[in-house]
Amino acid sequence: MQYLNGTAFAVTIPYFYLALGLGVLVICGNWLVTGSVQIARHFKISTLVVGLTIVAYVTSAPEMFISIGAALNNSHDIALGNVIGSNIANIACILAIVVVISPIPIRNKAIGFDYLVMFLVTVLLLVFGINGVIGLFEGITFVLILIAYTIWSVAKSKKSQDAKTIEPATMKPVFAILLILAAVVGLYFSSGWFVKGAREIALQWGVSERVIAVSIVAVGTSAPELVSSLIAAFRKEADLSIGNIIGSNFFNIAGVLGVTTIVSPVKITNLSLFYTDMIWLFGVTIALLLAMIPLSKGKLSRWEGCILLLIFSVYMFIVYTK
């Protein structure tokens, strides 16, 4: 008993949270994909749009909670680093792992427009950050873009999709919505456990708040995207898988950072590091476009996933050694 109350037991607690969080994430990720696909089929909306909106926004909930809480606690490096780091991780780590395990075919050339929107809000983030603070005006701008894009995407999908080409739903809408809500609750708690464990492990290693934000916290809050995209890929829902990543990156900036900066302005404490992280973000974003070409008959292959993982490994190495 004395041993259990000692240092050895305390050191293992973060790993317990890490494992528990991951286990619940897998279960809830499965529920999220199932419910989202059923909603798409019931309302005759393409799975690509569902991936870009419902799944992407829900799996970005951990980033939202963490960034708002960090901003209110004046932890500006975590609030901003969480968003930038998550976007880098979504492409170069999460999507990379997915395609290494299960290559993703690019079937819908409409993904090109969605990619462009994601890229433009990334450019906007860089522009807004030049003065060293992202405040109320910038936040409102981001949220308005988010609302407009979401309405346009759903409306366009319902107008362009032939109802006969979409498989009928096998679950009533109310049950699908309840399943999604249960997944949201589970993702909220499990991502919190995952990040808690990961952050405490990082603190044991003695790294800075900014390093924790762009690495451990970013990867931890991206865990729902990994699980959801993997499950979608295994179920041959390629549009849902790639849409989840692009939609999450868009929402992280327009939604997470938008709402966060409306609640409390986010100060950029080190512009040099901000520019460095943004260069890496633009780099992996452009690499994703190159990997997806052509946008109607392309395929994200295992070797491309390996390259993205190598890029992410180099980024992490620089972050921890600089």
Side-chain angles (χ1 to χ4, degrees):
M1 184 65 68
Q2 185 176 358
Y3 175 79
L4 292 179
N5 292 329
T7 304
F9 179 69
V11 169
T12 63
I13 291 178
Y15 296 93
F16 169 76
Y17 278 113
L18 206 66
L20 178 63
L22 182 60
V24 178
L25 277 171
V26 171
I27 296 172
C28 293
N30 186 42
W31 291 352
L32 178 63
V33 172
T34 300
S36 299
V37 170
Q38 291 298 316
I39 289 293
R41 291 175 178 175
H42 180 80
F43 291 102
K44 309 301 180 184
I45 302 173
S46 71
T47 52
L48 173 61
V49 172
V50 172
L52 288 161
T53 55
I54 297 176
V55 177
Y57 299 172
V58 169
T59 54
S60 291
E63 285 91 338
M64 177 75 79
F65 291 121
I66 288 175
S67 288
I68 291 177
L72 291 174
N73 289 320
N74 293 319
S75 297
H76 300 286
D77 284 343
I78 289 183
L80 182 60
N82 176 40
V83 169
I84 298 176
S86 291
N87 281 17
I88 293 173
N90 279 344
I91 296 174
C93 180
I94 305 305
L95 183 61
I97 292 174
V98 173
V99 298
V100 166
I101 296 174
S102 179
I104 300 175
I106 306 299
R107 300 168 181 165
N108 195 335
K109 63 181 180 181
I111 195 71
F113 176 79
D114 302 303
Y115 172 90
L116 179 61
V117 173
M118 176 194 71
F119 187 82
L120 289 178
V121 295
T122 304
V123 172
L124 206 54
L125 171 58
L126 176 62
V127 173
F128 284 163
I130 291 176
N131 65 349
V133 61
I134 303 175
L136 179 62
F137 170 78
E138 291 85 353
I140 292 175
T141 301
F142 278 139
V143 170
L144 289 177
I145 292 173
L146 171 67
I147 294 172
Y149 170 75
T150 304
I151 294 174
W152 181 89
S153 295
V154 174
K156 182 175 182 295
S157 175
K158 290 182 68 66
K159 184 178 179 180
S160 63
Q161 285 289 322
D162 183 356
K164 295 181 181 180
T165 65
I166 300 178
E167 295 182 25
T170 57
M171 182 184 296
K172 291 183 179 181
V174 63
F175 292 133
I177 292 173
L178 288 175
L179 196 61
I180 292 174
L181 291 176
V184 172
V185 174
L187 289 172
Y188 168 73
F189 285 106
S190 58
S191 61
W193 296 331
F194 187 94
V195 171
K196 176 181 174 63
R199 186 179 183 183
E200 288 181 3
I201 291 171
L203 289 173
Q204 289 175 3
W205 298 344
V207 297
S208 71
E209 190 175 81
R210 176 251 175 185
V211 170
I212 293 173
V214 300
S215 58
I216 303 298
V217 175
V219 173
T221 55
S222 293
E225 282 89 342
L226 172 61
V227 175
S228 299
S229 291
L230 267 177
I231 293 172
F234 287 144
R235 293 186 178 185
K236 307 303 179 184
E237 297 284 356
D239 287 345
L240 189 66
S241 188
I242 186 67
N244 178 29
I245 298 300
I246 292 179
S248 291
N249 276 23
F250 166 75
F251 185 77
N252 281 345
I253 296 175
V256 174
L257 194 60
V259 173
T260 298
T261 52
I262 288 176
V263 174
S264 178
V266 173
K267 297 178 182 178
I268 301 174
T269 57
N270 190 318
L271 277 174
S272 177
L273 290 177
F274 170 70
Y275 292 143
T276 299
D277 291 334
M278 288 302 297
I279 289 173
W280 280 97
L281 177 55
F282 277 113
V284 298
T285 302
I286 294 172
L288 173 60
L289 176 62
L290 296 175
M292 291 194 303
I293 293 175
L295 297 178
S296 58
K297 296 180 180 179
K299 183 177 183 179
L300 294 175
S301 60
R302 286 190 173 91
W303 71 267
E304 289 169 330
C306 289
I307 291 176
L308 287 172
L309 277 175
L310 178 61
I311 293 173
F312 185 73
S313 299
V314 172
Y315 174 63
M316 286 292 98
F317 176 78
I318 294 174
V319 165
Y320 276 89
T321 58
K322 188 173 181 180

